[in-house]
Amino acid sequence: MHGTPHLTPEILLRAYAEGLFPMAERRGDPALYWVSPEKRGIIPLQEFHVPRRLARTVRSGRFTVTSDQAFADVMRACAAPAAGREETWINDEILRLYIALHVGGHAHSVECWRDGALVGGLYGVRLGGAFFGESMFSRERDASKVALVWLVEALRQGGFTLLDTQFLTAHLAGFGALEIPRLQYLALLNQALGREAVWPRFWL
């Protein structure tokens, strides 16, 4: 980890291709630092596990699911304080960079809506056949989980081979996420970067 000067979207994409991603210490800190964990979290796309209750929620149509309709709003919701997460690593520089990536077609969001209100979602970066999940939020039970289910289906249909979660959490482990050593991750990343993948257009 080390401090970094002013970044551009192009520098950021090159960093992702080398297994690095930026974070801030806290919301109010303008500086960013590079992270390359010794153990990297991933979700094997073909082994993704959807709990039975959540599968019923997905089928129920409780949420309207869209993509790239409110990218900046999803990012700001992920950065907002929440119970058990009073501080965040998403600062103004992160917001600037990833919104620029989205405008350039390299970052996507998945949104969950209920009665016209944004109640959950996630966002991440796309590069070749790799998708780097950045953050998610939920204002209603299961909203972010439903967004994740739709994301995995999008990646499968689009020909992606790597879903990077950066770190492993107990929440993600319930879906089949696991940790792999850095060198193994870099090998998977290199394979994914050589693939052509597309962001599907099946969203409601």
Side-chain angles (χ1 to χ4, degrees), residues 21-25 31-35 89 91 94 134 166-167:
F21 57 89
M23 296 184 73
E25 288 288 353
L32 301 180
Y33 61 92
W34 293 116
V35 183
W89 54 269
N91 64 4
I94 292 283
E134 288 296 317
Q166 300 178 346
F167 303 103

Side-chain angles (χ1 to χ4, degrees), residues 20-148:
L20 300 164
F21 57 89
M23 296 184 73
E25 288 288 353
R26 59 188 63 84
R27 178 74 172 85
D29 187 344
L32 301 180
Y33 61 92
W34 293 116
V35 183
S36 178
E38 291 186 10
K39 296 286 189 179
R40 193 75 165 234
I42 67 166
I43 295 178
L45 290 171
Q46 302 309 317
E47 299 170 26
F48 182 67
H49 170 68
V50 182
R52 187 173 301 173
R53 185 189 61 78
L54 179 60
R56 288 197 298 269
T57 300
V58 173
R59 291 193 300 268
S60 74
R62 179 190 305 171
F63 304 110
T64 298
V65 183
T66 61
S67 174
D68 293 339
Q69 298 302 301
F71 185 88
D73 290 336
V74 168
M75 280 203 71
R76 293 187 184 100
C78 289
R85 192 192 65 189
E86 285 68 31
E87 193 49 81
T88 178
W89 54 269
I90 302 173
N91 64 4
D92 288 343
E93 181 70 350
I94 292 283
L95 284 165
R96 179 189 71 81
L97 283 166
Y98 287 79
I99 289 173
L101 286 179
H102 172 64
V103 171
H106 295 289
H108 297 283
S109 58
V110 178
E111 305 94 12
C112 283
W113 308 83
R114 182 90 181 272
D115 298 327
L118 182 64
V119 295
L122 55 82
Y123 75 96
V125 174
R126 171 170 65 92
L127 196 57
F131 189 88
F132 309 88
E134 288 296 317
S135 189
M136 60 176 59
F137 81 99
S138 190
R139 293 171 178 156
E140 278 196 23
R141 182 181 180 182
D142 290 339
S144 63
K145 296 177 182 177
V146 169
L148 179 60

